[in-house]
Amino acid sequence: MTRKEISRRHFLRNSTVVGAAVTGTLAAPAVLAQTPVTLKMQSSWPSSDVFQEMAQQYVDRVQEMAGGRMKIDLLPAGAVVGAFQVQDACHDGTIDAAHTVPVYWYGKNKAASLFGTGPVFGGDANQMIAWLYHGGGQEFYRELTQDILGLNVVGFLSFGMPAQPLGWFKSEITEAGQLQGLKYRTVGLAADLFQSMGAAVSQLPGGEIVPAMERGVIDGFEFNNPTSDMRFGSQDVAKNYMLASYHQASESFEYIFNKDKFESLEPDLQAILKYGVEAAHLSNYALAMQQYSSDLQKLQAEHGVNVKRTPDSVLQVQLEAWDKILPPLMEDPFFAKVVDSQKAWCERVVYYSLLNAPDYKLAYQHYFPGKI
């Protein structure tokens, strides 16, 4: 063996030893246990509500994507603050995050309802979620929360909820005149809508609805869907369930984060929180289709509930009521520009959708005659 070969072997042997030592030194931090970032998130829902399950779907996806680096402690309404107070609690850092709906804070600015429960220009809930992503809605939301209201929050919206039922009543609603003088529970701009139709409106969190009905504080109410309504015990205080309404036809969940806390996170964790909302959109919708349809059948078959579709004559009166309450609201420049954006979006997007979509009702009736 030549001296040159010996020197080369010596160099390679020493390089391997040094390299292994350096690699071991550099790799050491990766194997050390890392304490996860923990976020305290409170929802606006009772622990028994399907909405809490939907919030958990988000939490599960975020934690799995974060690979153990982030943990979300999900709490139900009332655990720290009331159902309607979660935005303020996020703002001041009492909690790190919240799962709620914008309509719960519309008392601060009525434009909040435009991000979930505003007027209906023909678009369904998922088309309005698309407006958030591609029609400028997310930036309008940021402008309202951060610039106009000065809130120390970051928020994202998802899950285009199916249109909410007109609600629960002691007598079947066959014409709009029955709403005159009715003590009725709803929230957000829907309160303005029903007041213009002659109802006396009370705005209550979900957990207070059935007790209020039992005490006679209200005569009728809506909340959101067959599953939540059944779990509240709605079927125990009323037997007429009217489906279809324009009062809240495109609501969505709101995920709020304390801005300081959110911006203190590593960029990839911020991205996981943000895009986890999109993942939850699909999982929430799939759960809703499964659960809402099953529970509607249970309400009919097991609880003797009279399920009816709201007459078109009542829906037409709702549209006329929207036409009455919008002009004074449009005097606010921000409210007006958001509505104008939504109308322009719906004019284009819904035009395409209605022309393109086949008549699904026709197909349903072909295979299941007599059910509708």
Side-chain angles (χ1 to χ4, degrees):
M1 183 180 295
T2 66
R3 181 175 298 178
K4 183 177 181 181
E5 289 174 324
I6 294 172
S7 297
R8 181 173 178 274
R9 287 189 178 184
H10 178 75
F11 170 77
L12 290 173
R13 184 173 65 250
N14 288 348
S15 295
T16 301
V17 172
V18 172
V22 171
T23 301
T25 301
L26 293 176
V31 299
L32 293 176
Q34 185 176 16
T35 302
V37 175
T38 299
L39 301 181
K40 181 162 61 178
M41 170 183 272
Q42 186 193 299
S43 78
S44 291
W45 328 117
S47 57
S48 60
D49 190 13
V50 69
F51 285 176
Q52 191 73 356
E53 294 175 32
M54 292 176 176
Q56 189 63 51
Q57 286 183 311
Y58 171 74
V59 169
D60 292 343
R61 281 153 180 76
V62 164
Q63 292 182 157
E64 187 168 348
M65 287 187 286
R69 294 171 55 213
M70 183 160 54
K71 180 179 182 298
I72 298 179
D73 183 13
L74 178 63
L75 304 169
V80 180
V81 295
F84 287 0
Q85 280 76 54
V86 292
Q87 187 192 68
D88 290 337
C90 274
H91 167 74
D92 62 25
T94 302
I95 56 177
D96 302 311
H99 186 272
T100 186
V101 285
V103 71
Y104 279 3
W105 51 271
Y106 105 119
K108 295 178 181 177
N109 190 305
K110 291 195 175 184
S113 271
L114 298 176
F115 300 93
T117 59
V120 183
F121 304 116
D124 64 24
N126 284 316
Q127 288 164 340
M128 299 316 293
I129 290 290
W131 167 76
L132 288 165
Y133 283 87
H134 295 286
Q138 183 65 43
E139 175 55 26
F140 285 136
Y141 172 87
R142 188 211 61 77
E143 182 180 352
L144 175 61
T145 54
Q146 296 184 8
D147 297 346
I148 296 175
L149 295 177
L151 296 170
N152 187 39
V153 300
V154 173
F156 309 102
L157 298 104
S158 80
F159 179 41
M161 299 181 188
Q164 297 181 25
L166 185 70
W168 294 82
F169 305 90
K170 294 185 177 178
S171 299
E172 181 180 332
I173 301 298
T174 58
E175 50 94 16
Q178 291 172 266
L179 298 175
Q180 288 284 336
L182 187 80
K183 294 180 289 185
Y184 181 78
R185 180 272 178 193
T186 190
V187 290
L189 280 181
D192 300 46
L193 182 77
F194 278 99
Q195 284 170 349
S196 74
M197 295 173 70
V201 175
S202 297
Q203 301 199 50
L204 302 169
E208 298 179 19
I209 295 173
V210 168
M213 189 78 167
E214 289 174 328
R215 298 194 308 272
V217 175
I218 55 176
D219 303 314
F221 61 91
E222 62 78 37
F223 179 69
N224 190 281
N225 62 79
T227 299
S228 295
D229 291 355
M230 187 174 75
R231 293 185 187 183
F232 284 152
S234 302
Q235 67 277 8
D236 298 328
V237 293
K239 290 297 183 184
N240 294 282
Y241 194 25
M242 307 299 301
L243 300 187
S245 179
Y246 285 132
H247 76 283
Q248 289 178 301
S250 60
E251 190 164 17
S252 56
F253 283 141
E254 179 184 32
Y255 297 78
I256 312 174
F257 302 91
N258 175 271
K259 190 169 183 286
D260 295 334
K261 185 71 172 184
F262 184 85
E263 293 181 349
S264 73
L265 301 173
E266 293 295 325
D268 65 322
L269 293 182
Q270 292 183 30
I272 288 170
L273 289 174
K274 177 181 178 179
Y275 295 114
V277 170
E278 295 181 22
H281 174 87
L282 177 57
S283 61
N284 287 174
Y285 181 77
L287 178 59
M289 290 299 96
Q290 158 64 18
Q291 203 66 50
Y292 295 1
S293 60
S294 298
D295 289 334
L296 184 64
Q297 287 187 337
K298 290 179 182 178
L299 286 169
Q300 293 173 290
E302 299 176 16
H303 299 282
V305 173
N306 177 38
V307 177
K308 294 289 185 178
R309 180 175 171 83
T310 301
D312 286 348
S313 61
V314 177
L315 297 177
Q316 183 59 43
V317 172
Q318 283 187 321
L319 291 176
E320 293 167 0
W322 275 119
D323 290 341
K324 286 191 295 185
I325 69 173
L326 275 178
L329 292 169
M330 295 282 280
E331 293 175 6
D332 175 78
F334 178 79
F335 192 102
K337 73 177 180 179
V338 176
V339 167
D340 288 343
S341 173
Q342 291 181 335
K343 288 181 73 173
W345 174 264
C346 288
E347 185 176 13
R348 173 168 58 87
V349 171
V350 179
Y351 174 80
Y352 157 72
S353 297
L354 292 177
L355 280 183
N356 182 66
D359 188 338
Y360 291 106
K361 182 178 179 181
L362 179 66
Y364 185 88
Q365 290 175 319
H366 176 77
Y367 290 103
F368 311 103
K371 291 208 68 165
I372 294 182

